[in-house]
Amino acid sequence: MKSLVVSYNGLFSQRSSEIPFVERVEIPVIQRDYAQGRVGATIERIRNAFLDVLHRAITKGESVSLDFVYGEVTNGTFTPLDGQQRLTTLFLLHWYLAYRADRLDQEQGWKKFTYSTRSSARLFCERLVQHQPK
């Protein structure tokens, strides 16, 4: 088993022949509820602290460790067994930044993100990267 430190965007870059090339990320059917969407004071504090960390990373270039994400790569598709929520957050953050930088029309590896869970989630991801909001 190989492990490495990599950015979300870096997942889609060929690094060496020892590390499988990732063409897309597919969130599997088996997953927990999205914890950051729960209601309550404790969750709100955790969510706000997480947003503060992401904001500092973007505005000040601070490195952020989101702990480990693990899974398997089969035929170029990375299926995470843990880290689905972190990957989803990074996908949405990359979309937002690309939108704000007017770069949604560029071909980017991070756009190849999908869900196996529900067809509505899969369609949402596909359509999100294809269309500029008004």
Side-chain angles (χ1 to χ4, degrees):
M1 174 170 55
K2 297 272 183 192
S3 68
L4 66 137
V5 176
V6 65
S7 68
Y8 177 71
N9 218 20
L11 264 177
F12 305 96
S13 302
Q14 183 76 36
R15 290 168 297 279
S16 75
S17 60
E18 296 178 5
I19 301 168
F21 180 63
V22 174
E23 294 177 307
R24 62 191 293 251
V25 173
E26 184 171 335
I27 305 301
V29 173
I30 299 171
Q31 63 173 315
R32 295 178 294 174
D33 290 337
Y34 191 63
Q36 296 291 342
R38 294 180 188 150
V39 178
T42 301
I43 294 297
E44 189 171 333
R45 272 193 310 279
I46 292 169
R47 184 172 43 243
N48 287 335
F50 183 51
L51 289 172
D52 288 343
V53 166
L54 292 176
H55 185 263
R56 283 193 309 274
I58 293 166
T59 60
K60 294 183 171 44
E62 293 180 11
S63 181
V64 175
S65 172
L66 295 180
D67 207 1
F68 62 90
V69 173
Y70 66 90
E72 64 181 4
V73 178
T74 306
N75 298 324
T77 299
F78 176 62
T79 306
L81 300 174
D82 185 42
Q84 297 98 328
Q85 295 176 14
R86 284 165 278 171
L87 289 168
T88 300
T89 299
L90 291 172
F91 164 71
L92 293 170
L93 184 58
H94 277 72
W95 174 85
Y96 179 74
L97 294 172
Y99 161 65
R100 292 297 302 249
D102 198 27
R103 294 185 179 176
L104 276 177
D105 59 344
Q106 295 178 353
E107 185 58 36
Q108 301 287 335
W110 63 263
K111 290 181 174 182
K112 296 174 183 157
F113 184 93
T114 191
Y115 272 80
S116 293
T117 52
R118 294 174 308 279
S119 58
S120 60
R122 186 172 35 259
L123 186 60
F124 173 79
C125 293
E126 289 171 8
R127 297 275 172 88
L128 185 67
V129 298
Q130 292 173 357
H131 300 287
Q132 287 264 18
K134 295 180 182 176

